[in-house]
Amino acid sequence: MTDSPIVEMRFYLSGERLPVDHGYLLYAALAHLLPWLHNDTAVRLAPIRGLYANGNNLLLQDWSRLVIRTPADRLARFLALAGRTLDVGGYRLRLGVPSIHTLRPASTLYAHLVTTRNGQDEARFDAEIARQLAVLGINGRVERGTRRTFAVHGRHLVGYAMSISGLDPEASVTLQAAGLGGRRKMGCGFFVPRKEGRP
């Protein structure tokens, strides 16, 4: 681990589409260019946002970004990605120049997908999330949302959407920096300020 503060990098993207379920593919493409990423436990990747189309297609928009949360002392390593092209499961994704942002507190945070070991068992999932929040010293109201699946090496794993409300500013920033659950470099457990209308 590192004492360096966590910051958020948002890379502009050029590309047409990605698979909706692209978390593992995106991580693999980044790790191909940055082999050290395999062993770095402090980096978090967000799922790329876009518009859902027919089938397993996510159409990229002007506002689509590659979002990475990383200790500030890794920034120079990630800046090397600017101008590079990723092969994400056969789809080409060119990265532009990133913008750098500090994490901002919000009383309610949302994650599209959170997963744990044996997460298909809802009671065990809830207990593990409660344990991880206790380790972080975070008190909040947890709402487990839609059950979702995602693919890793051809295996389909189970996770859930999740919102956590009633967070004080310090807890909110801590949760955004740390995330929850597993597969945090594959878009899982990535919390953002909640927007109205989330499922």
Side-chain angles (χ1 to χ4, degrees):
M1 294 298 291
T2 176
D3 292 329
S4 183
I6 301 295
V7 296
E8 186 169 285
M9 306 183 72
R10 303 173 192 168
F11 284 86
Y12 288 84
L13 300 177
S14 297
E16 294 183 1
R17 65 186 68 213
L18 287 175
V20 170
D21 186 2
H22 60 262
Y24 171 73
L25 297 172
L26 177 62
Y27 165 65
L30 286 167
H32 177 72
L33 295 180
L34 305 173
W36 57 267
L37 194 57
H38 286 291
N39 298 317
D40 194 313
T41 60
V43 172
R44 318 275 180 250
L45 299 179
I48 293 175
R49 296 176 57 238
L51 295 181
Y52 295 105
N54 294 333
N56 184 38
N57 288 309
L58 185 74
L59 301 180
L60 299 179
Q61 305 298 306
D62 290 343
W63 41 262
S64 299
R65 299 286 184 271
L66 168 63
V67 180
I68 301 172
R69 288 185 184 150
T70 175
D73 61 13
R74 316 282 205 281
L75 281 174
R77 295 182 179 186
F78 281 112
L79 288 173
L81 291 173
R84 301 294 296 273
T85 298
L86 302 178
D87 181 345
V88 183
Y91 296 84
R92 293 175 63 81
L93 196 63
R94 185 174 175 82
L95 304 184
V97 176
S99 55
I100 312 298
H101 306 265
T102 58
L103 299 180
R104 296 183 177 274
S107 62
T108 301
L109 298 177
Y110 170 85
H112 179 75
L113 179 65
V114 180
T115 183
T116 66
R117 189 183 300 275
N118 300 310
Q120 68 277 8
D121 182 323
E122 293 181 358
R124 293 179 71 171
F125 176 88
D126 291 345
E128 176 59 18
I129 291 301
R131 186 194 69 79
Q132 291 187 23
L133 287 170
V135 169
L136 292 171
I138 293 175
N139 294 307
R141 293 184 295 276
V142 179
E143 179 183 346
R144 173 168 36 81
T146 306
R147 179 184 173 106
R148 297 187 163 111
T149 61
F150 69 108
V152 177
H153 282 309
R155 294 175 55 216
H156 288 277
L157 306 179
V158 173
Y160 304 88
M162 179 174 290
S163 65
I164 302 180
S165 58
L167 297 168
D168 62 42
E170 182 179 0
S172 179
V173 171
T174 296
L175 182 54
Q176 291 178 69
L180 287 178
R183 316 287 182 178
R184 297 182 204 179
K185 286 186 282 191
M186 300 179 189
C188 299
F190 194 99
F191 283 86
V192 297
R194 186 179 183 118
K195 294 181 179 178
E196 296 301 320
R198 289 282 195 185

